Amino acid sequence: MKTPLWINSVFLKVKSALSFPLTPEKYIQLFFLIFVSALALAAAILLFVDPYIYYHRSIGLRQVYTRSTAMIPGVLRHFEYDTVLFGSSMVQNFDISEMDKLLGTRSVKATTAGLTADTLSVYFDIAFASRGDNLKRCIAGVDYYAFDRNGKKLHAQYDYLYGNKLFTPQYLWSKDSFDAVSEALWNNISYPFDKVAQHEMDFNLMFSNKPGRHKYGRKYIERDIRNRTGQMIPLSSKVRDNFRNLLFKHVKNHPDTQFDIFLPPYSIYFWCVLDESGQLEDYLALRRFIVEEAALYKNARLHDFQTDLSIICDLDNYKDFSHYSPKINSSILKGISSNSHIVTPQTASRGENLIRQSISTFRPSYNALRRK
Amino acid sequence: MLFCSYVFVLLFLPITVAGYFLLNKISRTAGRVWLFGASLYFYGYFNIYYLLLLAFSLVLNYSIGSLIYSYRKKFLLILGIVLNIFILGYFKYYDFFIDTVNTVFGTSWALKHILLPLGISFFTFQQISYLSDVYHDVLKERYSPLTYGLFVTFFPQLVAGPIVLANEMMPQFADEKNLRVNFSNLSCGIFIFSLGLAKKMLLADAFAPFGDSLFVLENPCFWDSFVGLLATHFQVYFDFSGYCDMAVGIGLMFNIHLPVNFISPYRAANIKEFWDTWHITLGRFLSQFIYFPLGGSKKGKFRTYFNLMMVFFVSGVWHGAYWMMVLWGVIHGFAVVVHRIWSKELKLKMPRPLGVVITFTFLFMILAFFKSSTWEQAKRAYLGFINFDPVRISEFSRKFEFDTFLLFAAGFIIVFFFKPASSFRENFKPAVWTLAVPVVLIICCIYTFNKISPFIYFNF
């Protein structure tokens, strides 16, 4: 079959255009002109959209709150707030509007899945450097795992966003930034008809999980327990130092800021897993340590939701052995607001006993799941 | 400083090139001092302490070279070679030697964990070639310390080759014609540099996850081993040849013709042809300093086979301070000997396409030794072949998608059908398409710079 004449003609024209000769001098001039212009244009677009809030808050576009590890420094530097909520995936789903209403605060979130204590400490530094005395309150959900990962920075990939450099080529010209700009522009276009975009651009739900992403209920946590393999990794010898140097250091250094530290309500099966792997007493000892450390500071209150049996023993609250549903976030906020779950060295042992008793109660059902 | 970094592409390279030619207008020495200083800065950017060793090596070798010029004594040449080998041996092979002694004799001597200075194998070999050229009166004139310094430290080839010879480089640095900007060379250099950069950032780094994963899988299936080794092949080739292309391109920007290191090696129809087209400058060096001094092919066939084995034994040792690499070298030596017997003694011929397939398959099968530092690691890579079961698909293999297939297809097409990037040096014509290609490729590559991506041959 012969190629149609018009295709031949177009092909020859394109070939002729591409083969058009240039003098070497012209080549060099055009190369630098096009190359520099393309980079400048790309940088200009990036600077305008600034998806990671590195230089400024959104101008003329709705802000997308998705890539938490990249965005948190920007949020802490460029937003107005007097309270920050810090934490890992255990704390992601808090609603800022609910928090502000209950606690009378003006807050932002610095929450990201897999948060390590090293990165948490950096977030504290950025927040205090940015707000100084205006940072009245820090609410931090303490995830044991975060403090057990020695020296690991969650934000290593985005290290360039955590400094103060004016010129950051890794941000101006990288595939990651390109994707973030594309996402921001697309979300702005699709906002009127895309519920996911609306969620991702909701300030009050910043960095929280997409609606419907996770399912909570007894059958999900039971499936998680049945499928668990391997042992829980023993706590490292440095975990107490990490608490002192990466959390309580900031409590000590900022006596005028109120620190509400809360122990998130892992499910009762979490404690059964620890019991099964012979580490229960280590974790309970760590709890006691945290309680005793918090008691040293007048500006620290420790809220213990780990021994709230109404939460931890209701398996329908969980999707796996540690992550609770968003409705529990509301309970936690109410508890912090009313100081109903404050724990002190004097009351700590009561909580431990509750955990031990609950383990005994749930051990048969836990063992039955493990046998399947 | 890596070629594939923002600071190199956006700052160091344009400033160095511009500064070189602008200063050459003022004085030829100023430009060359600028280039020498830039090269030292480039090297010291990795680790400032490396500069101390480099400076010591430069002073030592230039001094011995000066003595050889004056006295022409063979023992000075031998002294120079021995000192260079000693320095290389200490930094690169001390722990290897101690570890081997401990294993064989049951001792427990302490390892020093000496940090290997980048490029030490390359600049050591280059300076040995200089001493040899001085002794054998190959260099027609006595070059200044600055020219010598440029020959050794010229940054495009300093850390990973190509291994250049004094007689091919020093005249170029001394040639007045090369001090003026040549837009033809500059444009061709940019073009070749962009091809090399794309080979590294867009191809080698795309293959890397498949190749690297194979060596950590506990129980790879047949497809893991097959795809993993193939990916390792392409990764090593595109990584190293990409680096060499970038070096050639950058050299050309300065009007310096660096030797080519790769000429479509996978199109080779036999192992000898492969080594004539793969890491050409290493083969040239080993021929000149190992093969020919041992007698080459002039002392009978068994001595020839021994000489060939020695060349590849040394090649294996040079590539890495561990026994897997030595084994890899020895296997190659054995293959070259077999080929020699096949072609020269038995005078057998093979159809070229069959030869290409057999050669590629051989290279494919032994590559695990190149990538592994221990026998267990190599064995694990081959497990998929050992436990032959093409029906089993592992968790890792399940992740292979259509774009994985496209990536490998692109690898095959480029390796077997594209002409080498460095071949454009001979017949480059500035045109719209040769302008569009580097603009697009360099910008695409810049967008991948925020990932950490070291070159494989930096380990040598």
Side-chain angles (χ1 to χ4, degrees):
Chain A
M1 184 176 135
K2 276 191 178 177
T3 320
L5 275 174
W6 71 269
I7 292 180
N8 260 337
S9 168
V10 166
F11 174 74
L12 286 171
K13 282 194 172 116
V14 169
K15 188 178 170 191
S16 169
L18 289 175
S19 312
F20 186 80
L22 301 166
T23 63
E25 290 82 358
K26 199 76 182 166
Y27 181 102
I28 297 298
Q29 285 168 10
L30 284 173
F31 173 81
F32 281 105
L33 180 66
I34 298 171
F35 181 72
V36 171
S37 300
L39 286 183
L41 179 63
I45 294 173
L46 189 285
L47 285 170
F48 170 68
V49 179
D50 197 358
Y52 292 158
I53 324 173
Y54 185 73
Y55 296 102
H56 59 78
R57 291 181 67 168
S58 226
I59 302 170
L61 295 171
R62 287 193 175 87
Q63 184 69 57
V64 182
Y65 301 101
T66 47
R67 298 160 191 243
S68 46
T69 315
M71 289 187 185
I72 286 172
V75 168
L76 295 174
R77 287 192 184 110
H78 297 290
F79 280 54
E80 297 288 323
Y81 54 90
D82 59 24
T83 301
V84 182
L85 173 66
F86 296 93
S88 65
S89 56
M90 303 298 292
V91 180
Q92 260 179 310
N93 294 319
F94 281 81
D95 184 317
I96 288 176
S97 60
E98 188 183 359
M99 191 158 96
D100 288 345
K101 195 173 162 193
L102 272 170
L103 303 178
T105 53
R106 189 174 171 198
S107 42
V108 293
K109 284 160 71 173
T111 58
T112 184
L115 180 68
T116 62
D118 291 85
T119 300
L120 170 66
S121 184
V122 169
Y123 289 161
F124 278 124
D125 287 333
I126 296 173
F128 280 109
S130 172
R131 300 296 296 161
D133 293 338
N134 291 324
L135 183 53
K136 304 288 185 208
R137 198 165 180 178
C138 292
I139 302 173
V142 165
D143 192 353
Y144 296 137
Y145 301 121
F147 288 84
D148 202 30
R149 294 169 201 167
N150 289 308
K152 283 196 183 146
K153 289 184 195 171
L154 175 69
H155 66 277
Q157 178 196 356
Y158 291 111
D159 220 9
Y160 55 91
L161 296 172
Y162 282 62
N164 285 320
K165 285 186 189 164
L166 191 59
F167 180 63
T168 47
Q170 306 94 319
Y171 183 41
L172 294 174
W173 304 293
S174 71
K175 186 176 176 307
D176 181 79
S177 302
F178 178 85
D179 291 342
V181 166
S182 305
E183 185 185 36
L185 292 174
W186 175 249
N187 273 10
N188 270 274
I189 292 168
S190 64
Y191 179 84
F193 50 86
D194 183 350
K195 286 198 167 21
V196 172
Q198 289 163 13
H199 174 91
E200 289 176 349
M201 294 155 101
D202 186 340
F203 169 81
N204 293 315
L205 299 175
M206 69 161 75
F207 310 136
S208 61
N209 290 320
K210 291 192 200 36
R213 185 178 172 213
H214 297 295
K215 293 193 170 67
Y216 300 88
R218 172 180 284 266
K219 69 175 180 179
Y220 301 106
I221 181 175
E222 286 179 349
R223 183 172 64 191
D224 180 49
I225 296 302
R226 268 197 296 273
N227 293 339
R228 284 190 63 78
T229 56
Q231 295 286 317
M232 290 281 275
I233 298 167
L235 288 170
S236 81
S237 57
K238 295 214 171 113
V239 68
R240 283 168 174 74
D241 287 339
N242 286 344
F243 270 100
R244 283 199 186 101
N245 299 333
L246 301 171
L247 173 63
F248 290 111
K249 171 186 93 166
H250 299 284
V251 177
K252 183 179 174 183
N253 290 346
H254 302 282
D256 295 329
T257 301
Q258 177 63 41
F259 282 78
D260 285 286
I261 301 165
F262 71 90
L263 302 174
Y266 301 125
S267 77
I268 186 58
Y269 279 164
F270 171 85
W271 298 103
C272 292
V273 168
L274 289 179
D275 184 45
E276 183 188 34
S277 54
Q279 293 174 54
L280 177 65
E281 294 309 320
D282 290 341
Y283 274 76
L284 291 178
L286 180 61
R287 266 179 54 93
R288 259 178 263 130
F289 164 79
I290 297 169
V291 172
E292 281 157 13
E293 276 297 304
L296 296 174
Y297 304 100
K298 285 191 182 137
N299 60 327
R301 283 192 291 245
L302 186 64
H303 306 262
D304 180 12
F305 295 94
Q306 283 178 351
T307 55
D308 187 330
L309 302 188
S310 67
I311 299 175
I312 73 169
C313 294
D314 183 354
L315 300 178
D316 283 327
N317 288 330
Y318 295 90
K319 73 173 178 82
D320 58 39
F321 78 160
S322 59
H323 292 92
Y324 45 85
S325 70
K327 77 173 188 206
I328 302 302
N329 298 348
S330 297
S331 306
I332 292 172
L333 283 174
K334 288 179 181 124
I336 292 174
S337 160
S338 61
N339 290 326
S340 57
H341 287 66
I342 298 282
V343 61
T344 64
Q346 292 75 31
T347 62
S349 56
R350 189 172 70 85
E352 282 180 39
N353 291 336
L354 280 174
I355 289 175
R356 288 199 182 87
Q357 286 159 19
S358 301
I359 290 172
S360 302
T361 308
F362 279 82
R363 191 179 284 121
S365 61
Y366 175 81
N367 289 342
L369 289 170
R370 296 294 285 153
R371 275 196 295 270
K372 284 181 184 166
Chain B
M1 198 188 301
L2 296 175
F3 287 171
C4 44
S5 63
Y6 295 104
V7 66
F8 182 83
V9 170
L10 299 179
L11 280 178
F12 180 84
L13 183 60
I15 290 174
T16 305
V17 172
Y20 178 67
F21 289 115
L22 283 172
L23 285 170
N24 278 339
K25 286 187 176 181
I26 302 169
S27 114
R28 60 171 280 177
T29 303
R32 291 172 339 126
V33 167
W34 167 265
L35 185 54
F36 179 61
S39 298
L40 291 180
Y41 179 81
F42 175 87
Y43 190 65
Y45 198 89
F46 292 105
N47 184 329
I48 193 82
Y49 297 109
Y50 289 167
L51 276 180
L52 296 173
L53 174 69
L54 180 64
F56 173 75
S57 181
L58 282 174
V59 169
L60 174 74
N61 283 283
Y62 189 76
S63 303
I64 294 176
S66 297
L67 288 172
I68 295 175
Y69 267 121
S70 301
Y71 299 107
R72 294 260 169 243
K73 295 289 185 201
K74 191 163 190 176
F75 89 88
L76 286 169
L77 172 65
I78 294 171
L79 174 70
I81 292 174
V82 165
L83 285 174
N84 275 295
I85 297 296
F86 176 77
I87 293 171
L88 177 63
Y90 175 74
F91 281 96
K92 191 167 176 178
Y93 300 106
Y94 179 90
D95 280 355
F96 174 54
F97 173 73
I98 296 297
D99 193 45
T100 303
V101 167
N102 286 343
T103 304
V104 171
F105 298 105
T107 50
S108 52
W109 293 353
L111 302 177
K112 284 193 179 179
H113 302 294
I114 300 168
L115 192 63
L116 179 68
L118 225 49
I120 186 171
S121 304
F122 294 93
F123 67 69
T124 299
F125 275 19
Q126 276 166 214
Q127 294 185 97
I128 289 175
S129 85
Y130 169 74
L131 296 177
S132 171
D133 284 352
V134 169
Y135 178 77
H136 290 103
D137 209 19
V138 175
L139 294 173
K140 296 303 168 202
E141 58 180 279
R142 198 164 170 167
Y143 293 99
S144 66
L146 181 57
T147 304
Y148 177 75
L150 273 174
F151 152 64
V152 177
T153 66
F154 185 44
F155 70 88
Q157 50 82 42
L158 174 58
V159 292
I163 300 171
V164 294
L165 300 177
N167 62 63
E168 71 186 345
M169 291 299 294
M170 293 176 84
Q172 292 191 70
F173 285 114
D175 190 347
E176 299 265 345
K177 283 201 311 292
N178 291 335
L179 299 179
R180 287 187 297 276
V181 65
N182 180 319
F183 288 102
S184 291
N185 283 344
L186 195 53
S187 48
C188 183
I190 290 173
F191 183 79
I192 294 175
F193 174 79
S194 72
L195 293 180
L197 186 65
K199 271 177 160 181
K200 164 62 181 164
M201 300 307 296
L202 305 181
L203 290 171
D205 287 359
F207 284 110
F210 298 99
D212 294 344
S213 296
L214 170 63
F215 293 88
V216 297
L217 287 174
E218 287 294 327
N219 186 19
C221 69
F222 171 80
W223 297 108
D224 294 334
S225 291
F226 181 80
V227 170
L229 283 179
L230 198 57
T232 303
H233 249 296
F234 287 142
Q235 180 199 358
V236 170
Y237 172 65
F238 286 124
D239 188 287
F240 194 25
S241 69
Y243 181 94
C244 293
D245 288 339
M246 282 191 268
V248 164
I250 297 169
L252 206 50
M253 294 181 202
F254 291 94
N255 300 325
I256 301 296
H257 281 60
L258 291 174
V260 166
N261 241 354
F262 294 88
I263 307 176
S264 302
Y266 287 118
R267 290 190 218 170
N270 56 67
I271 195 68
K272 180 189 178 304
E273 191 179 323
F274 173 78
W275 280 106
D276 285 341
T277 51
W278 174 284
H279 205 176
I280 298 166
T281 57
L282 176 66
R284 178 178 70 174
F285 182 92
L286 293 176
S287 295
Q288 187 173 337
F289 290 95
I290 307 280
Y291 185 66
F292 293 129
L294 286 176
S297 58
K298 294 190 178 359
K299 296 199 173 177
K301 62 182 175 188
F302 292 107
R303 179 60 180 260
T304 303
Y305 304 153
F306 171 80
N307 295 343
L308 287 169
M309 288 300 296
M310 278 307 298
V311 165
F312 283 93
F313 171 78
V314 171
S315 172
V317 171
W318 179 88
H319 274 91
Y322 37 95
W323 287 110
M324 282 297 107
M325 201 60 96
V326 177
L327 179 62
W328 171 83
V330 165
I331 293 173
H332 269 279
F334 183 71
V336 168
V337 168
V338 165
H339 169 262
R340 193 175 177 92
I341 294 171
W342 169 281
S343 58
K344 287 208 177 333
E345 304 302 324
L346 303 177
K347 294 191 185 347
L348 295 170
K349 286 194 189 317
M350 184 183 296
R352 189 171 177 85
L354 181 61
V356 170
V357 169
I358 291 175
T359 305
F360 189 85
T361 306
F362 166 76
L363 295 167
F364 168 81
M365 289 308 296
I366 70 161
L367 190 68
F369 298 115
F370 181 86
K371 196 82 190 283
S372 310
S373 52
T374 63
W375 173 249
E376 286 70 33
Q377 210 178 15
K379 204 169 91 174
R380 203 184 304 146
Y382 288 123
L383 265 180
F385 296 133
I386 297 169
N387 305 327
F388 181 73
D389 181 6
V391 175
R392 182 169 81 89
I393 310 284
S394 72
E395 282 296 321
F396 181 69
S397 289
R398 274 181 226 282
K399 293 179 195 163
F400 299 160
E401 292 169 352
F402 183 65
D403 53 356
T404 312
F405 169 75
L406 285 180
L407 175 64
F408 280 84
F412 267 109
I413 291 169
I414 291 169
V415 149
F416 283 101
F417 298 105
F418 276 34
K419 61 180 183 175
S422 47
S423 68
F424 283 97
R425 198 163 59 175
E426 314 313 323
N427 55 3
F428 177 74
K429 287 183 179 52
V432 170
W433 80 270
T434 60
L435 172 65
V437 164
V439 169
V440 170
L441 288 181
I442 295 177
I443 289 178
C444 286
C445 292
I446 283 175
Y447 271 75
T448 65
F449 279 177
N450 66 329
K451 293 182 304 183
I452 296 169
S453 173
F455 288 94
I456 292 175
Y457 268 71
F458 276 16
N459 297 323
F460 310 142

